[in-house]
Structure formats: structure tokens, C-alpha cells
Amino acid sequence: ARGGLEPGAARAQDNADIPEAIRRAMSTAGIHAKRVAVALPPEDVLLRAFTIPAIPRAELDGAVQFEARKYLPFKLNELIWNYQVSPRPDKQITVIFAAVERAALLRVRDWIQGAGLAPVSIEPYSVSLARAVQMPRQGRAPQVVAAVDMSEDAAHIVLMRDGLVYLARDVHFNHAEGSGAEAGSRPGSDPRAERLLSELRLSMEFFAREFAGTSFERVVLFGDSSLVKRWSGTFATHLGCPVEPGILPGG
């Protein structure tokens, strides 16, 4: 089920078929575990990174709430939210803030439990994707990595620094872009590849301006394997850093 954080947007209604669909999917995949980690789809999550002055820990919650209200279409008491902080060299801190509508989160939890499963964690898909790409490593310079999850009609871009998601955004391809692409065509001739490459480059350049002196170590492509194969070479040529296929963890 897909929802969103847009004011007045239509909300998905509880559907008795969803727990059964979850059970069938688990059975088809041969997964017998009852404890599961749940990744919320990007359109259900508001994720923002912003900078505030470094302040005592006791004052941090209040300062984060005050700043986060600038980006929220709902009152904080209508949301489930959390944040992580990352120090900066300029005596400020970067706050990575994520929120989901309380009703939407409880609906997902009920569907999971209705399928006979126990959700041990529920987090934004962007965060799950970052975890699959890299883990923070002590004693080394921060890794700056871009991850892209691609399908025939959309892509999800995640920019991360040492495992923390600083920017996440979606790129949707229109019908004309998709209909003009042929499976055997050159990657650069596919309008979707050109559009995604442009949006990815803009996002990476924006990040580099925000964090001067950083450069991207690599770009990791997930999703449709045929798109990953066809577009990797062109992306590597135009982005100036290694581009590699991503592998989601199993088990």
C-alpha cells in the first residue's frame, strides 16, 4: 500500500487482503522467519537533513523539533519521528530527521502482525538501502556514496555519508520516456537513462557544495538488472567515479 505525507492526499484504507498477500509473498520466497525488519516506501516518509549550531545534548530535542517544523505538513504529535546527528568542522551539527504519519505507521504494523509476523524494526527504505551499501568505519575518512534503486518507471536516489542518509529523492519517468527505450539500445539513447543521469548529477553536485571538500567514492545501482547492466557504463563515464551493481543482503 502506498501513502504519502502530502496534506489532504488520499489515504489507503485498511485492506484485509494485505496480510494474506504478505504471507503468500513470504511463502513464495521460501522465508520462514517470523521476526522481520520493515522498510517503509519513500513516499510514506519525510526525510530531511539540516544544520543547527552545536548545543548541549539536553537541549537537542527541543532544537531539532523547532527546526523540523519548517519542513512538516503535519503537527509533530501526528507523526512518529526520529533523528541522528553528525558533527561538522564548523562548530555546527547536521541533523538527519525522518518522520512518518502515525496512522500510516500503525497501519503497516497491523498488516505485518496480521500476517503472523513480528516487526523488530520499521525504518525508511532509504535508511535500509544505506545499510546495504555501507557501514560506518572508525578511523577513516567518511565515505560518500550514492545509491540508486531503479525500475522501469521510477528511480530512488539516496546520497549518504558514512552510512547516514543526507538526501533522498524520487525520479519518475513518464510514459513517453519509457516507450522510447528499447531493450537492446545503447544506455545513452534511453531517455530514462539521460533523465536519471541528469537528476543524479545535480543531486551529487548539490551535496558537494553543501559539504565542501568531499567527493563521491562510488555509485551503487540496485533494482532492474537489465537497466543496471545497460546504464552502468554511461553513468561511470559522466559521473567521474566508479559505478557498480548493488547486492541486497539475504538471510
Side-chain angles (χ1 to χ4, degrees), residues 118-182:
V120 296
S121 69
I122 301 178
E123 66 184 7
Y125 175 66
S126 305
V127 175
S128 298
L129 196 60
R131 196 191 320 284
V133 170
Q134 64 174 25
M135 294 295 290
R137 301 177 187 177
Q138 294 183 351
R140 58 152 295 164
Q143 288 184 296
V144 182
V145 180
V148 186
D149 187 17
M150 307 184 300
S151 67
E152 289 287 342
D153 55 7
H156 183 59
I157 297 173
V158 177
L159 304 187
M160 63 197 78
R161 185 172 184 264
D162 229 15
L164 296 181
V165 176
Y166 282 74
L167 187 150
R169 56 183 298 239
D170 291 311
V171 178
H172 296 279
F173 309 128
N174 60 43
H175 177 71
E177 288 172 324
S179 62
E182 299 179 0

Tab-separated table of all heavy atoms in Angstrom, residues 118-182:
chain	number	residue	atom	x	y	z
A	118	ALA	N	6.415	-10.574	13.434
A	118	ALA	CA	6.756	-9.615	14.477
A	118	ALA	C	7.744	-8.600	13.906
A	118	ALA	O	8.880	-8.955	13.588
A	118	ALA	CB	7.371	-10.322	15.680
A	119	PRO	N	7.337	-7.328	13.748
A	119	PRO	CA	8.267	-6.319	13.223
A	119	PRO	C	9.249	-5.879	14.297
A	119	PRO	O	8.873	-5.250	15.282
A	119	PRO	CB	7.337	-5.169	12.818
A	119	PRO	CG	6.127	-5.314	13.692
A	119	PRO	CD	5.982	-6.789	13.975
A	120	VAL	N	10.517	-6.218	14.117
A	120	VAL	CA	11.533	-5.835	15.109
A	120	VAL	C	12.080	-4.441	14.824
A	120	VAL	O	12.664	-3.817	15.701
A	120	VAL	CB	12.681	-6.856	15.145
A	120	VAL	CG1	12.175	-8.211	15.597
A	120	VAL	CG2	13.351	-6.983	13.782
A	121	SER	N	11.919	-3.950	13.604
A	121	SER	CA	12.286	-2.575	13.286
A	121	SER	C	11.457	-2.116	12.101
A	121	SER	O	11.092	-2.914	11.227
A	121	SER	CB	13.779	-2.453	12.955
A	121	SER	OG	14.075	-3.080	11.725
A	122	ILE	N	11.128	-0.830	12.095
A	122	ILE	CA	10.422	-0.207	10.977
A	122	ILE	C	11.166	1.087	10.672
A	122	ILE	O	11.303	1.937	11.540
A	122	ILE	CB	8.949	0.081	11.315
A	122	ILE	CG1	8.213	-1.208	11.697
A	122	ILE	CG2	8.254	0.750	10.132
A	122	ILE	CD1	6.751	-0.995	12.094
A	123	GLU	N	11.666	1.209	9.446
A	123	GLU	CA	12.504	2.355	9.121
A	123	GLU	C	12.280	2.765	7.667
A	123	GLU	O	11.720	2.012	6.868
A	123	GLU	CB	13.977	2.011	9.340
A	123	GLU	CG	14.510	0.956	8.395
A	123	GLU	CD	15.960	0.563	8.692
A	123	GLU	OE1	16.491	1.015	9.718
A	123	GLU	OE2	16.540	-0.194	7.894
A	124	PRO	N	12.722	3.966	7.287
A	124	PRO	CA	12.617	4.385	5.883
A	124	PRO	C	13.422	3.468	4.970
A	124	PRO	O	14.504	3.006	5.337
A	124	PRO	CB	13.197	5.803	5.883
A	124	PRO	CG	13.094	6.274	7.298
A	124	PRO	CD	13.267	5.045	8.144
A	125	TYR	N	12.904	3.230	3.770
A	125	TYR	CA	13.630	2.404	2.806
A	125	TYR	C	14.987	3.005	2.492
A	125	TYR	O	15.965	2.285	2.266
A	125	TYR	CB	12.814	2.247	1.517
A	125	TYR	CG	13.572	1.503	0.449
A	125	TYR	CD1	13.897	0.161	0.629
A	125	TYR	CD2	13.994	2.136	-0.719
A	125	TYR	CE1	14.617	-0.529	-0.329
A	125	TYR	CE2	14.712	1.455	-1.676
A	125	TYR	CZ	15.018	0.126	-1.481
A	125	TYR	OH	15.741	-0.551	-2.429
A	126	SER	N	15.080	4.340	2.469
A	126	SER	CA	16.362	4.993	2.202
A	126	SER	C	17.419	4.549	3.204
A	126	SER	O	18.585	4.325	2.853
A	126	SER	CB	16.207	6.518	2.280
A	126	SER	OG	15.185	6.966	1.419
A	127	VAL	N	17.024	4.415	4.473
A	127	VAL	CA	17.956	4.001	5.521
A	127	VAL	C	18.349	2.536	5.323
A	127	VAL	O	19.505	2.158	5.489
A	127	VAL	CB	17.327	4.231	6.909
A	127	VAL	CG1	18.221	3.693	8.020
A	127	VAL	CG2	17.053	5.724	7.116
A	128	SER	N	17.373	1.702	4.969
A	128	SER	CA	17.678	0.290	4.706
A	128	SER	C	18.659	0.151	3.543
A	128	SER	O	19.576	-0.668	3.578
A	128	SER	CB	16.386	-0.474	4.387
A	128	SER	OG	15.493	-0.458	5.475
A	129	LEU	N	18.456	0.969	2.510
A	129	LEU	CA	19.340	0.905	1.351
A	129	LEU	C	20.748	1.347	1.733
A	129	LEU	O	21.742	0.734	1.311
A	129	LEU	CB	18.797	1.800	0.235
A	129	LEU	CG	19.363	1.584	-1.167
A	129	LEU	CD1	19.094	0.165	-1.650
A	129	LEU	CD2	18.777	2.596	-2.133
A	130	ALA	N	20.847	2.373	2.563
A	130	ALA	CA	22.167	2.827	3.019
A	130	ALA	C	22.868	1.741	3.814
A	130	ALA	O	24.092	1.549	3.701
A	130	ALA	CB	22.017	4.089	3.863
A	131	ARG	N	22.122	1.020	4.622
A	131	ARG	CA	22.722	-0.062	5.414
A	131	ARG	C	23.256	-1.169	4.502
A	131	ARG	O	24.269	-1.803	4.797
A	131	ARG	CB	21.672	-0.629	6.377
A	131	ARG	CG	22.270	-1.472	7.486
A	131	ARG	CD	21.226	-2.247	8.262
A	131	ARG	NE	20.020	-1.515	8.524
A	131	ARG	CZ	19.891	-0.556	9.443
A	131	ARG	NH1	20.935	-0.210	10.166
A	131	ARG	NH2	18.748	0.056	9.635
A	132	ALA	N	22.560	-1.409	3.398
A	132	ALA	CA	23.022	-2.447	2.464
A	132	ALA	C	24.291	-2.028	1.734
A	132	ALA	O	25.074	-2.869	1.312
A	132	ALA	CB	21.916	-2.747	1.450
A	133	VAL	N	24.503	-0.717	1.598
A	133	VAL	CA	25.637	-0.217	0.830
A	133	VAL	C	26.898	-0.125	1.673
A	133	VAL	O	27.989	-0.509	1.250
A	133	VAL	CB	25.309	1.166	0.223
A	133	VAL	CG1	26.554	1.810	-0.377
A	133	VAL	CG2	24.231	1.008	-0.842
A	134	GLN	N	26.770	0.397	2.890
A	134	GLN	CA	27.974	0.638	3.674
A	134	GLN	C	27.642	0.698	5.152
A	134	GLN	O	26.512	0.933	5.545
A	134	GLN	CB	28.631	1.952	3.250
A	134	GLN	CG	27.765	3.179	3.530
A	134	GLN	CD	28.506	4.474	3.222
A	134	GLN	OE1	29.428	4.495	2.420
A	134	GLN	NE2	28.121	5.553	3.860
A	135	MET	N	28.676	0.470	5.933
A	135	MET	CA	28.600	0.634	7.382
A	135	MET	C	29.661	1.638	7.798
A	135	MET	O	30.747	1.672	7.214
A	135	MET	CB	28.852	-0.702	8.092
A	135	MET	CG	27.768	-1.741	7.834
A	135	MET	SD	26.163	-1.274	8.505
A	135	MET	CE	26.513	-1.418	10.254
A	136	PRO	N	29.375	2.490	8.796
A	136	PRO	CA	30.399	3.431	9.252
A	136	PRO	C	31.657	2.698	9.718
A	136	PRO	O	31.576	1.649	10.349
A	136	PRO	CB	29.718	4.143	10.427
A	136	PRO	CG	28.254	3.968	10.191
A	136	PRO	CD	28.120	2.619	9.536
A	137	ARG	N	32.814	3.239	9.408
A	137	ARG	CA	34.083	2.620	9.789
A	137	ARG	C	34.887	3.629	10.611
A	137	ARG	O	35.140	4.744	10.147
A	137	ARG	CB	34.882	2.219	8.542
A	137	ARG	CG	34.131	1.241	7.644
A	137	ARG	CD	34.938	0.946	6.386
A	137	ARG	NE	34.176	0.146	5.452
A	137	ARG	CZ	34.637	-0.206	4.248
A	137	ARG	NH1	35.841	0.165	3.858
A	137	ARG	NH2	33.886	-0.934	3.441
A	138	GLN	N	35.267	3.226	11.792
A	138	GLN	CA	36.035	4.114	12.643
A	138	GLN	C	37.474	4.239	12.123
A	138	GLN	O	38.024	3.316	11.542
A	138	GLN	CB	36.045	3.592	14.076
A	138	GLN	CG	34.669	3.616	14.735
A	138	GLN	CD	34.724	3.164	16.170
A	138	GLN	OE1	35.744	2.672	16.633
A	138	GLN	NE2	33.621	3.338	16.885
A	139	GLY	N	38.049	5.409	12.340
A	139	GLY	CA	39.453	5.608	11.998
A	139	GLY	C	39.733	5.833	10.536
A	139	GLY	O	40.862	5.675	10.092
A	140	ARG	N	38.715	6.223	9.767
A	140	ARG	CA	38.946	6.509	8.355
A	140	ARG	C	38.082	7.689	7.933
A	140	ARG	O	37.142	8.075	8.615
A	140	ARG	CB	38.641	5.301	7.481
A	140	ARG	CG	37.235	4.765	7.579
A	140	ARG	CD	36.808	4.085	6.315
A	140	ARG	NE	36.737	5.046	5.223
A	140	ARG	CZ	36.687	4.695	3.946
A	140	ARG	NH1	36.721	3.443	3.607
A	140	ARG	NH2	36.595	5.624	3.001
A	141	ALA	N	38.427	8.283	6.815
A	141	ALA	CA	37.660	9.416	6.314
A	141	ALA	C	36.243	8.963	5.962
A	141	ALA	O	36.033	7.807	5.568
A	141	ALA	CB	38.343	10.004	5.081
A	142	PRO	N	35.253	9.861	6.113
A	142	PRO	CA	33.872	9.481	5.807
A	142	PRO	C	33.711	9.024	4.363
A	142	PRO	O	34.266	9.628	3.449
A	142	PRO	CB	33.080	10.770	6.070
A	142	PRO	CG	33.944	11.560	6.987
A	142	PRO	CD	35.350	11.224	6.611
A	143	GLN	N	32.983	7.947	4.177
A	143	GLN	CA	32.638	7.503	2.839
A	143	GLN	C	31.451	8.307	2.336
A	143	GLN	O	30.470	8.503	3.052
A	143	GLN	CB	32.260	6.024	2.846
A	143	GLN	CG	33.411	5.068	3.055
A	143	GLN	CD	32.920	3.631	2.955
A	143	GLN	OE1	32.124	3.186	3.766
A	143	GLN	NE2	33.390	2.911	1.965
A	144	VAL	N	31.524	8.752	1.105
A	144	VAL	CA	30.407	9.446	0.476
A	144	VAL	C	29.982	8.612	-0.728
A	144	VAL	O	30.768	8.427	-1.669
A	144	VAL	CB	30.799	10.871	0.050
A	144	VAL	CG1	29.597	11.597	-0.550
A	144	VAL	CG2	31.337	11.650	1.251
A	145	VAL	N	28.776	8.080	-0.682
A	145	VAL	CA	28.313	7.116	-1.675
A	145	VAL	C	26.908	7.503	-2.130
A	145	VAL	O	26.097	7.989	-1.338
A	145	VAL	CB	28.285	5.684	-1.086
A	145	VAL	CG1	27.808	4.677	-2.123
A	145	VAL	CG2	29.667	5.294	-0.567
A	146	ALA	N	26.644	7.290	-3.414
A	146	ALA	CA	25.296	7.441	-3.953
A	146	ALA	C	24.745	6.054	-4.282
A	146	ALA	O	25.459	5.217	-4.829
A	146	ALA	CB	25.306	8.309	-5.210
A	147	ALA	N	23.493	5.819	-3.920
A	147	ALA	CA	22.820	4.569	-4.273
A	147	ALA	C	21.560	4.906	-5.054
A	147	ALA	O	20.874	5.889	-4.740
A	147	ALA	CB	22.476	3.759	-3.028
A	148	VAL	N	21.269	4.106	-6.073
A	148	VAL	CA	20.085	4.328	-6.900
A	148	VAL	C	19.364	2.996	-7.063
A	148	VAL	O	19.960	2.006	-7.495
A	148	VAL	CB	20.454	4.891	-8.290
A	148	VAL	CG1	19.189	5.239	-9.064
A	148	VAL	CG2	21.359	6.110	-8.162
A	149	ASP	N	18.088	2.983	-6.705
A	149	ASP	CA	17.250	1.798	-6.906
A	149	ASP	C	16.349	2.088	-8.104
A	149	ASP	O	15.534	3.011	-8.073
A	149	ASP	CB	16.417	1.520	-5.648
A	149	ASP	CG	15.659	0.212	-5.755
A	149	ASP	OD1	16.001	-0.614	-6.616
A	149	ASP	OD2	14.697	0.019	-4.976
A	150	MET	N	16.484	1.294	-9.171
A	150	MET	CA	15.849	1.613	-10.449
A	150	MET	C	14.793	0.585	-10.833
A	150	MET	O	14.950	-0.616	-10.597
A	150	MET	CB	16.913	1.671	-11.547
A	150	MET	CG	18.078	2.599	-11.231
A	150	MET	SD	19.267	2.731	-12.592
A	150	MET	CE	19.789	1.026	-12.755
A	151	SER	N	13.726	1.083	-11.438
A	151	SER	CA	12.726	0.214	-12.058
A	151	SER	C	12.397	0.811	-13.421
A	151	SER	O	12.942	1.846	-13.818
A	151	SER	CB	11.464	0.118	-11.193
A	151	SER	OG	10.785	1.363	-11.151
A	152	GLU	N	11.478	0.191	-14.139
A	152	GLU	CA	11.136	0.666	-15.477
A	152	GLU	C	10.495	2.048	-15.459
A	152	GLU	O	10.601	2.796	-16.431
A	152	GLU	CB	10.188	-0.336	-16.155
A	152	GLU	CG	10.839	-1.643	-16.552
A	152	GLU	CD	11.745	-1.489	-17.761
A	152	GLU	OE1	11.612	-0.473	-18.477
A	152	GLU	OE2	12.592	-2.368	-18.004
A	153	ASP	N	9.819	2.403	-14.366
A	153	ASP	CA	9.082	3.664	-14.369
A	153	ASP	C	9.523	4.668	-13.318
A	153	ASP	O	8.968	5.769	-13.235
A	153	ASP	CB	7.583	3.406	-14.207
A	153	ASP	CG	7.256	2.575	-12.975
A	153	ASP	OD1	8.177	2.305	-12.168
A	153	ASP	OD2	6.087	2.210	-12.808
A	154	ALA	N	10.533	4.342	-12.486
A	154	ALA	CA	10.956	5.275	-11.452
A	154	ALA	C	12.326	4.877	-10.925
A	154	ALA	O	12.815	3.767	-11.157
A	154	ALA	CB	9.940	5.317	-10.309
A	155	ALA	N	12.935	5.798	-10.192
A	155	ALA	CA	14.212	5.529	-9.528
A	155	ALA	C	14.225	6.271	-8.201
A	155	ALA	O	13.642	7.356	-8.072
A	155	ALA	CB	15.390	5.964	-10.391
A	156	HIS	N	14.881	5.678	-7.211
A	156	HIS	CA	15.017	6.289	-5.894
A	156	HIS	C	16.492	6.550	-5.653
A	156	HIS	O	17.312	5.633	-5.690
A	156	HIS	CB	14.449	5.370	-4.810
A	156	HIS	CG	14.492	5.957	-3.430
A	156	HIS	ND1	13.859	7.133	-3.112
A	156	HIS	CD2	15.105	5.533	-2.285
A	156	HIS	CE1	14.066	7.415	-1.834
A	156	HIS	NE2	14.818	6.465	-1.314
A	157	ILE	N	16.851	7.824	-5.441
A	157	ILE	CA	18.240	8.243	-5.249
A	157	ILE	C	18.497	8.476	-3.765
A	157	ILE	O	17.711	9.157	-3.096
A	157	ILE	CB	18.535	9.534	-6.031
A	157	ILE	CG1	18.378	9.303	-7.540
A	157	ILE	CG2	19.934	10.049	-5.721
A	157	ILE	CD1	18.482	10.574	-8.357
A	158	VAL	N	19.584	7.922	-3.260
A	158	VAL	CA	19.981	8.122	-1.871
A	158	VAL	C	21.446	8.555	-1.842
A	158	VAL	O	22.304	7.881	-2.405
A	158	VAL	CB	19.812	6.830	-1.038
A	158	VAL	CG1	20.302	7.046	0.390
A	158	VAL	CG2	18.361	6.381	-1.030
A	159	LEU	N	21.728	9.676	-1.219
A	159	LEU	CA	23.098	10.131	-1.026
A	159	LEU	C	23.437	9.984	0.445
A	159	LEU	O	22.696	10.465	1.314
A	159	LEU	CB	23.271	11.585	-1.455
A	159	LEU	CG	22.867	11.931	-2.897
A	159	LEU	CD1	23.253	13.363	-3.216
A	159	LEU	CD2	23.482	10.965	-3.899
A	160	MET	N	24.551	9.330	0.741
A	160	MET	CA	24.883	9.006	2.126
A	160	MET	C	26.336	9.339	2.426
A	160	MET	O	27.197	9.332	1.534
A	160	MET	CB	24.604	7.533	2.402
A	160	MET	CG	25.458	6.577	1.580
A	160	MET	SD	24.802	4.897	1.537
A	160	MET	CE	23.495	5.092	0.323
A	161	ARG	N	26.566	9.631	3.683
A	161	ARG	CA	27.920	9.931	4.141
A	161	ARG	C	28.177	9.106	5.393
A	161	ARG	O	27.546	9.311	6.419
A	161	ARG	CB	28.067	11.424	4.435
A	161	ARG	CG	29.468	11.886	4.801
A	161	ARG	CD	29.475	13.413	4.855
A	161	ARG	NE	30.799	13.946	5.101
A	161	ARG	CZ	31.247	14.298	6.300
A	161	ARG	NH1	30.464	14.178	7.370
A	161	ARG	NH2	32.456	14.786	6.439
A	162	ASP	N	29.062	8.151	5.277
A	162	ASP	CA	29.380	7.233	6.369
A	162	ASP	C	28.136	6.556	6.945
A	162	ASP	O	27.949	6.481	8.162
A	162	ASP	CB	30.158	7.952	7.470
A	162	ASP	CG	31.403	7.160	7.869
A	162	ASP	OD1	31.788	6.247	7.117
A	162	ASP	OD2	31.962	7.427	8.933
A	163	GLY	N	27.267	6.095	6.060
A	163	GLY	CA	26.100	5.326	6.479
A	163	GLY	C	24.873	6.135	6.813
A	163	GLY	O	23.801	5.565	6.995
A	164	LEU	N	24.984	7.470	6.912
A	164	LEU	CA	23.841	8.316	7.225
A	164	LEU	C	23.269	8.902	5.943
A	164	LEU	O	24.002	9.400	5.087
A	164	LEU	CB	24.244	9.448	8.168
A	164	LEU	CG	24.722	9.051	9.566
A	164	LEU	CD1	25.065	10.287	10.383
A	164	LEU	CD2	23.670	8.212	10.289
A	165	VAL	N	21.947	8.857	5.805
A	165	VAL	CA	21.279	9.373	4.615
A	165	VAL	C	21.122	10.886	4.741
A	165	VAL	O	20.449	11.381	5.641
A	165	VAL	CB	19.906	8.716	4.426
A	165	VAL	CG1	19.183	9.334	3.237
A	165	VAL	CG2	20.045	7.209	4.250
A	166	TYR	N	21.735	11.612	3.830
A	166	TYR	CA	21.653	13.073	3.838
A	166	TYR	C	20.630	13.597	2.839
A	166	TYR	O	20.108	14.692	3.004
A	166	TYR	CB	23.013	13.679	3.531
A	166	TYR	CG	23.960	13.665	4.700
A	166	TYR	CD1	24.566	12.476	5.120
A	166	TYR	CD2	24.260	14.830	5.395
A	166	TYR	CE1	25.434	12.460	6.192
A	166	TYR	CE2	25.127	14.820	6.477
A	166	TYR	CZ	25.716	13.625	6.866
A	166	TYR	OH	26.571	13.603	7.946
A	167	LEU	N	20.391	12.846	1.787
A	167	LEU	CA	19.437	13.282	0.772
A	167	LEU	C	18.810	12.052	0.142
A	167	LEU	O	19.511	11.093	-0.189
A	167	LEU	CB	20.138	14.137	-0.293
A	167	LEU	CG	19.256	14.811	-1.345
A	167	LEU	CD1	19.909	16.126	-1.797
A	167	LEU	CD2	19.030	13.911	-2.557
A	168	ALA	N	17.488	12.095	-0.013
A	168	ALA	CA	16.765	11.014	-0.697
A	168	ALA	C	15.679	11.643	-1.555
A	168	ALA	O	14.959	12.529	-1.096
A	168	ALA	CB	16.158	10.051	0.323
A	169	ARG	N	15.585	11.192	-2.784
A	169	ARG	CA	14.568	11.752	-3.679
A	169	ARG	C	14.189	10.731	-4.733
A	169	ARG	O	14.949	9.791	-5.027
A	169	ARG	CB	15.072	13.034	-4.344
A	169	ARG	CG	16.356	12.905	-5.118
A	169	ARG	CD	16.783	14.250	-5.663
A	169	ARG	NE	15.774	14.765	-6.589
A	169	ARG	CZ	16.031	15.047	-7.855
A	169	ARG	NH1	17.248	14.873	-8.347
A	169	ARG	NH2	15.099	15.502	-8.643
A	170	ASP	N	13.001	10.924	-5.305
A	170	ASP	CA	12.483	10.029	-6.331
A	170	ASP	C	12.506	10.718	-7.686
A	170	ASP	O	12.293	11.937	-7.787
A	170	ASP	CB	11.054	9.605	-6.004
A	170	ASP	CG	10.986	8.694	-4.798
A	170	ASP	OD1	11.758	7.726	-4.748
A	170	ASP	OD2	10.161	8.954	-3.909
A	171	VAL	N	12.748	9.945	-8.721
A	171	VAL	CA	12.658	10.402	-10.101
A	171	VAL	C	11.663	9.494	-10.813
A	171	VAL	O	11.856	8.271	-10.848
A	171	VAL	CB	14.030	10.340	-10.811
A	171	VAL	CG1	13.894	10.768	-12.270
A	171	VAL	CG2	15.046	11.220	-10.093
A	172	HIS	N	10.594	10.075	-11.345
A	172	HIS	CA	9.573	9.295	-12.044
A	172	HIS	C	9.702	9.523	-13.544
A	172	HIS	O	9.818	10.654	-13.998
A	172	HIS	CB	8.175	9.695	-11.557
A	172	HIS	CG	7.931	9.390	-10.112
A	172	HIS	ND1	7.584	8.134	-9.665
A	172	HIS	CD2	8.022	10.181	-9.008
A	172	HIS	CE1	7.452	8.158	-8.349
A	172	HIS	NE2	7.718	9.380	-7.923
A	173	PHE	N	9.695	8.427	-14.300
A	173	PHE	CA	9.782	8.515	-15.752
A	173	PHE	C	8.374	8.556	-16.335
A	173	PHE	O	7.498	7.795	-15.904
A	173	PHE	CB	10.537	7.303	-16.320
A	173	PHE	CG	11.858	7.052	-15.658
A	173	PHE	CD1	12.177	5.797	-15.142
A	173	PHE	CD2	12.792	8.065	-15.543
A	173	PHE	CE1	13.400	5.558	-14.540
A	173	PHE	CE2	14.021	7.842	-14.935
A	173	PHE	CZ	14.321	6.586	-14.431
A	174	ASN	N	8.158	9.429	-17.304
A	174	ASN	CA	6.835	9.460	-17.921
A	174	ASN	C	6.729	8.393	-19.004
A	174	ASN	O	7.710	7.767	-19.396
A	174	ASN	CB	6.521	10.857	-18.476
A	174	ASN	CG	7.515	11.315	-19.535
A	174	ASN	OD1	7.902	10.541	-20.407
A	174	ASN	ND2	7.939	12.576	-19.464
A	175	HIS	N	5.526	8.199	-19.506
A	175	HIS	CA	5.274	7.116	-20.463
A	175	HIS	C	6.087	7.301	-21.733
A	175	HIS	O	6.606	6.329	-22.301
A	175	HIS	CB	3.780	7.054	-20.796
A	175	HIS	CG	3.438	6.020	-21.828
A	175	HIS	ND1	3.486	4.660	-21.570
A	175	HIS	CD2	3.074	6.155	-23.136
A	175	HIS	CE1	3.146	3.996	-22.659
A	175	HIS	NE2	2.897	4.878	-23.623
A	176	ALA	N	6.222	8.540	-22.173
A	176	ALA	CA	6.960	8.789	-23.414
A	176	ALA	C	8.417	8.388	-23.278
A	176	ALA	O	9.023	7.845	-24.204
A	176	ALA	CB	6.855	10.265	-23.786
A	177	GLU	N	9.004	8.638	-22.091
A	177	GLU	CA	10.398	8.253	-21.872
A	177	GLU	C	10.551	6.740	-21.933
A	177	GLU	O	11.482	6.219	-22.535
A	177	GLU	CB	10.875	8.779	-20.518
A	177	GLU	CG	11.075	10.281	-20.484
A	177	GLU	CD	11.362	10.791	-19.089
A	177	GLU	OE1	10.785	10.254	-18.128
A	177	GLU	OE2	12.151	11.735	-18.952
A	178	GLY	N	9.616	6.020	-21.304
A	178	GLY	CA	9.705	4.567	-21.283
A	178	GLY	C	9.445	3.955	-22.638
A	178	GLY	O	10.121	3.007	-23.053
A	179	SER	N	8.461	4.501	-23.392
A	179	SER	CA	8.108	3.909	-24.675
A	179	SER	C	9.185	4.120	-25.730
A	179	SER	O	9.253	3.399	-26.704
A	179	SER	CB	6.782	4.509	-25.178
A	179	SER	OG	6.913	5.907	-25.375
A	180	GLY	N	10.073	5.101	-25.492
A	180	GLY	CA	11.131	5.366	-26.460
A	180	GLY	C	12.363	4.522	-26.245
A	180	GLY	O	13.329	4.637	-26.994
A	181	ALA	N	12.349	3.676	-25.207
A	181	ALA	CA	13.535	2.884	-24.884
A	181	ALA	C	13.376	1.473	-25.407
A	181	ALA	O	12.326	0.865	-25.279
A	181	ALA	CB	13.742	2.845	-23.374
A	182	GLU	N	14.416	0.952	-26.002
A	182	GLU	CA	14.431	-0.425	-26.478
A	182	GLU	C	15.432	-1.217	-25.662
A	182	GLU	O	16.496	-0.729	-25.305
A	182	GLU	CB	14.803	-0.478	-27.957
A	182	GLU	CG	13.803	0.265	-28.853
A	182	GLU	CD	14.219	0.203	-30.305
A	182	GLU	OE1	15.279	-0.424	-30.576
A	182	GLU	OE2	13.519	0.759	-31.148
